Amino acid sequence: RGDCEAGWGVAAMRNREPTAATYSIRALLVRVLGLKVVVTLALWAVPLLLAPGVLLRALGFPDVGELDVMLRLLGVAYAALAVVYQRAREQLAAADTKKGLKSRPENYPMAVMEMAVVSNGGACAVLFWLGVVRGRWRTWGLPARLFMNASLGFTGFFALAFGLALWARRAIPSDTIGRIKLKLAQKVWPVLQFIPGE
């Protein structure tokens, strides 16, 4: 009938295997999701859940007093996000094998990636405004400043990575603009090859 299903940045006719470009971009996104899980747990969820107030103050963070309950709740939220990212990673990894799922739109965690763009992009904007523009943590201790700067860098990186993934995912190479988008994405994604695989 000539109707197509959009693959991972590739328009695949029914019963046609995804292309090598499809697998390459998906495989890199699996790595990014894996890194996101590790960073979310190690940098945000576990410290906010378990680090005692005295340790946070020793590292140079300001005393939050009884508001520490908000930090613990934020740690729970980050842990929940890590679970969602890991499930999306498993789903995408299954679709990344030719013996696994077919290249169909419903096999891709689009909602998770959209959430990741909003979450990381929003956090990066807030951190940039308060930290870089307003100098909110300029007087904090060195470990605390390093932590906040690392958070700024990671959220910016993930916002760009997931944004690029969404951009490539929506490309349909059957038209000229779609082919250009896919080629540009393929040029940028290899930068992420340093991220360890499974």
Side-chain angles (χ1 to χ4, degrees), residues 10-163:
V10 179
M13 297 296 293
R14 291 183 186 275
N15 301 321
R16 181 178 297 176
E17 289 290 339
T19 67
T22 301
Y23 289 113
S24 175
I25 294 177
R26 277 201 311 236
L28 282 168
L29 184 56
V30 168
R31 296 183 180 188
V32 174
L33 282 166
L35 180 63
K36 177 61 178 174
V37 171
V38 172
V39 171
T40 299
L41 289 175
L43 196 61
W44 300 311
V46 173
L48 289 175
L49 272 174
L50 303 178
V54 62
L55 175 59
L56 295 177
R57 290 190 296 273
L59 293 174
F61 289 96
D63 186 10
V64 295
E66 295 183 355
L67 286 177
D68 63 342
V69 65
M70 301 303 296
L71 295 182
R72 307 309 178 191
L73 289 174
L74 186 58
V76 173
Y78 280 128
L81 283 175
V83 172
V84 174
Y85 286 127
Q86 177 59 25
R87 292 302 185 190
R89 179 178 178 274
E90 293 171 356
Q91 178 184 357
L92 200 57
D96 196 34
T97 60
K98 292 187 177 182
K99 294 181 180 179
L101 303 175
K102 291 278 188 177
S103 178
R104 296 193 302 266
E106 61 268 27
N107 294 333
Y108 299 100
M110 295 295 293
V112 175
M113 290 188 290
E114 291 169 352
M115 176 200 69
V117 172
V118 174
S119 173
N120 289 279
C124 182
V126 170
L127 289 170
F128 181 83
W129 173 252
L130 293 179
V132 177
V133 178
R134 301 291 298 275
R136 182 66 60 86
W137 57 74
R138 191 174 301 160
T139 59
W140 294 7
L142 178 60
R145 295 201 307 271
L146 291 175
F147 176 90
M148 298 305 293
N149 288 328
S151 296
L152 173 62
F154 275 119
T155 52
F157 167 80
F158 288 125
L160 289 173
F162 288 116

Side-chain angles (χ1 to χ4, degrees), residues 156-196:
F157 167 80
F158 288 125
L160 289 173
F162 288 116
L164 178 62
L166 281 174
W167 188 59
R169 170 64 180 81
R170 298 182 188 281
I172 303 178
S174 59
D175 61 28
T176 302
I177 295 178
R179 286 194 295 270
I180 293 174
K181 288 173 67 176
L182 181 60
K183 287 183 179 296
L184 286 174
Q186 288 179 266
K187 294 291 185 182
V188 178
W189 269 99
V191 175
L192 306 179
Q193 289 281 9
F194 69 90
I195 301 175

